[in-house]
Amino acid sequence: MHIAWFEYFQIACLLTALYCYRGLRACSLLAFIPLLFIVNITELSGINYRMLGLQSNYSIYNLFLLASTPFYFYIAGKMLFLTGRETIVFHTVCVLCLILVFVNFFFIQGQSPFNTYSFVLIEIMMIVFSGLSLVRLTLLDQRELNFIREPFFWINTVNLLFGLIALVVLGLQEYILTNHIEINNKRLYNLILPSLNAIVYAGYSYAFILCRKQKTR
Amino acid sequence: MQETKDQVIFTIVAVILILLFLGVLFLVMLFYYNNKKGQMSKEQQLMRATFDKQLLENKLEIQEETFNTISQEIHDNVGQILSLAKVQLGILEQRQNIEGDLVSNAKESISQAMTELRDIAKSLSSERLQSLSLPESIAQEIRRINRSGFIKITAEVNGIEKNVPDQQKLIAFRMVQEGFQNIIKHANATEVKVSMHYLEEWLYISIFDNGTGFNPEEELKKRGGLGLQNILRRAELVGGKANISSKPGEGTTLEIQIAYA
């Protein structure tokens, strides 16, 4: 079984989340634990898809989109501090997105090609939610916030940056694949995404540690 | 063909960089806003503190003026009336040739009332307080309270007496007075010990009572805890410190630190 270098970050992130369980519970971010389980299982099986007897790993990543999106949205909702009507709007938007993702998986793009439409839709929503969450974090509190010590800031920042880059790279996945858009014989997304993943999961890990510190403070 | 691919790669990378730049710009703007908010919050806090200080200063000034007016009234008005009543009783005693304890008891009561009122007038008059040293003023106040017989206050002065500026002296005395008032009103104490230490840079005063004690944190949160808050804020006003430590059933210690300058 092969483990890519960036997967160590994902595994470390999961272990950090388990270690910081109480902190995550205090910050209402417990949903990260099942999400990271899904991420790790997906990446491990995605890289070792041949061992599973699969022709390609797209179906694995498509299933990942289906399984992980509710968790991402749930976490985003927790970080948005929604009240009253906002909650209704947020839930409606999330449910509509999930329906579109499921419809795309079963009826539009299907199971074997990578579901770029779903991915683009999810990433746009994540960019919007992260941006809103960061704005809310800044505006909601009357005091000056120390962003460096704010777990929600780190989570949303890495989500936002990941979304902005991955939106282009994976949104054009099919085009890059068919036109062989490569640098040094490596497909563009294979070149960018591992480092991006490492940054994202390192950011998450740091945020979890901050959650733990906030709990003990 | 290769050239087209290069152009596509260049475009994709450029788009990524632009989006990344926008993302970073957004974060920088949030940092900037947060920083501004912090500055504004600090300015507001400073303004509020200055306002509170001014308010307290004015309040204390008005209080001192009121005390002085009351003191003046007691001395000039009530005191004179009681003196006249005492003289009239003397005349009555001579004219009517009344014998017995009744008139002399009445004269004695009036004398006692006059002494009490004179002491109260003295303790209220800021001019008089400023003419005495702090230990003298406190000793006078202790004598006045001890005369009631309800409570026994003892005092000791340690170190070489140093000159305390008038404002500091007055505020320190009012804090001690407020402390005594709290003990009499709420502590149910029988003994109080006052220690004054003239340290190098500070005058340290501690007042310990053997009363019922209380939870200072809870009391300070209550609206009724204004007396305690006044003590703490008065100390802040002259750059000093005050601390109240107490536990239910273990008495109370009020510590005051006042700078000489």
Side-chain angles (χ1 to χ4, degrees):
Chain A
M1 193 167 73
H2 176 66
I3 297 177
W5 68 271
F6 66 90
E7 278 182 73
Y8 290 109
F9 281 86
Q10 292 171 333
I11 295 165
C13 187
L14 174 63
L15 294 174
T16 314
L18 291 171
Y19 174 67
C20 305
Y21 176 84
R22 283 185 180 180
L24 288 183
R25 193 172 58 185
C27 293
S28 311
L29 294 174
L30 265 186
F32 261 112
I33 293 174
L35 175 67
L36 287 166
F37 267 112
I38 296 170
V39 168
N40 277 287
I41 291 165
T42 307
E43 290 291 3
L44 280 173
S45 47
I47 284 180
N48 301 290
Y49 66 96
R50 284 197 182 90
M51 276 175 67
L52 300 169
L54 295 169
Q55 295 272 312
S56 79
N57 56 12
Y58 296 136
S59 52
I60 294 170
Y61 287 109
N62 288 337
L63 283 171
F64 169 74
L65 289 181
L66 293 181
S68 66
T69 310
F71 289 102
Y72 277 119
F73 285 171
Y74 177 77
I75 292 165
K78 286 283 171 193
M79 289 190 292
L80 274 167
F81 304 107
L82 299 163
T83 52
R85 206 173 285 175
E86 294 168 355
T87 318
I88 301 165
V89 174
F90 177 79
H91 285 154
T92 313
V93 170
C94 289
V95 169
L96 282 174
C97 284
L98 285 172
I99 291 169
L100 286 171
V101 170
F102 273 83
V103 167
N104 189 35
F105 181 77
F106 289 108
F107 304 110
I108 303 170
Q109 284 191 293
Q111 294 164 25
S112 34
F114 182 60
N115 289 176
T116 43
Y117 301 157
S118 301
F119 183 81
V120 168
L121 177 72
I122 293 163
E123 284 313 315
I124 288 172
M125 294 319 298
M126 287 309 290
I127 290 167
V128 172
F129 292 154
S130 306
L132 283 176
S133 192
L134 283 167
V135 170
R136 194 132 223 205
L137 199 65
T138 318
L139 297 181
L140 205 68
D141 211 320
Q142 289 300 309
R143 295 169 294 122
E144 183 186 5
L145 277 179
N146 187 356
F147 280 143
I148 308 296
R149 291 181 171 273
E150 197 56 54
F152 286 5
F153 169 78
W154 285 101
I155 293 167
N156 285 302
T157 300
V158 291
N159 277 348
L160 180 73
L161 297 179
F162 178 85
L164 288 171
I165 298 170
L167 182 71
V168 180
V169 176
L170 285 178
L172 295 170
Q173 186 265 348
E174 215 170 307
Y175 180 82
I176 292 169
L177 190 72
T178 49
N179 292 287
H180 302 283
I181 308 294
E182 293 171 351
I183 301 173
N184 296 333
N185 293 326
K186 264 194 162 183
R187 287 196 188 110
L188 203 57
Y189 49 79
N190 285 339
L191 201 74
I192 295 172
L193 286 179
S195 315
L196 197 59
N197 268 312
I199 293 168
V200 168
Y201 291 99
Y204 283 169
S205 303
Y206 182 59
F208 299 159
I209 291 164
L210 289 176
C211 283
R212 188 184 152 85
K213 278 185 181 169
Q214 278 195 354
K215 171 76 178 68
T216 52
R217 221 180 282 161
Chain B
M1 185 66 183
Q2 186 57 39
E3 206 173 300
T4 320
K5 271 184 190 173
D6 286 347
Q7 278 177 1
V8 171
I9 290 171
F10 178 77
T11 312
I12 293 171
V13 172
V15 170
I16 289 172
L17 287 176
I18 289 167
L19 286 175
L20 208 57
F21 172 75
L22 290 174
V24 172
L25 190 71
F26 173 70
L27 291 173
V28 169
M29 277 168 68
L30 288 182
F31 264 99
Y32 178 76
Y33 177 82
N34 189 44
N35 200 18
K36 273 268 173 206
K37 194 174 69 177
Q39 276 178 2
M40 273 171 66
S41 158
K42 273 176 198 161
E43 277 169 22
Q44 269 179 355
Q45 270 179 357
L46 195 73
M47 273 167 68
R48 201 173 297 140
T50 315
F51 175 75
D52 283 350
K53 196 179 170 185
Q54 272 178 354
L55 200 70
L56 185 63
E57 272 174 357
N58 291 344
K59 212 170 121 185
L60 291 179
E61 211 172 294
I62 292 166
Q63 198 182 44
E64 282 307 321
E65 274 177 29
T66 313
F67 283 169
N68 282 330
T69 312
I70 296 170
S71 165
Q72 200 72 33
E73 283 297 311
I74 290 170
H75 184 264
D76 298 346
N77 206 343
V78 185
Q80 296 302 325
I81 293 166
L82 285 174
S83 296
L84 186 66
K86 199 178 166 186
V87 172
Q88 283 169 336
L89 274 175
I91 295 166
L92 187 74
E93 195 178 25
Q94 279 175 2
R95 279 192 190 164
Q96 305 285 321
N97 202 11
I98 301 167
E99 281 185 19
D101 294 336
L102 198 64
V103 176
S104 56
N105 282 350
K107 277 166 77 179
E108 207 177 302
S109 296
I110 289 172
S111 296
Q112 270 180 9
M114 281 168 72
T115 315
E116 281 296 320
L117 282 172
R118 214 174 288 136
D119 284 350
I120 291 169
K122 279 178 197 168
S123 76
L124 290 175
S125 166
S126 54
E127 276 173 33
R128 189 174 164 81
L129 290 171
Q130 278 162 3
S131 70
L132 298 172
S133 70
L134 191 59
E136 282 171 343
S137 307
I138 292 173
Q140 207 172 60
E141 186 71 2
I142 289 171
R143 272 199 301 276
R144 189 176 74 79
I145 297 168
N146 277 345
R147 260 208 305 272
S148 68
F150 294 120
I151 202 164
K152 192 188 167 196
I153 308 179
T154 52
E156 57 170 20
V157 181
N158 301 300
I160 303 159
E161 204 175 308
K162 291 187 180 178
N163 189 35
V164 182
D166 281 351
Q167 203 198 356
Q168 267 94 325
K169 196 163 67 181
L170 187 63
I171 285 178
F173 178 74
R174 292 290 180 225
M175 284 160 77
V176 172
Q177 221 174 15
E178 187 98 49
F180 288 158
Q181 285 304 315
N182 284 341
I183 292 167
I184 293 165
K185 271 200 266 179
H186 311 291
N188 207 15
T190 53
E191 274 183 37
V192 179
K193 282 178 188 163
V194 182
S195 311
M196 293 175 70
H197 297 265
Y198 282 91
L199 303 173
E200 195 62 40
E201 289 174 15
W202 300 88
L203 166 61
Y204 171 83
I205 305 169
S206 80
I207 304 170
F208 170 75
D209 72 70
N210 66 346
T212 46
F214 62 101
N215 186 336
E217 280 178 22
E218 274 178 22
E219 210 58 39
L220 279 166
K221 280 178 198 164
K222 288 183 195 168
R223 257 187 80 80
L226 278 177
L228 297 180
Q229 280 171 5
N230 272 345
I231 293 174
L232 302 180
R233 287 169 70 190
R234 273 191 170 122
E236 276 174 30
L237 198 67
V238 285
K241 286 176 197 165
N243 181 46
I244 301 154
S245 43
S246 181
K247 272 183 189 171
E250 290 181 20
T252 304
T253 306
L254 166 66
E255 293 165 293
I256 301 164
Q257 266 184 285
I258 299 283
Y260 298 122

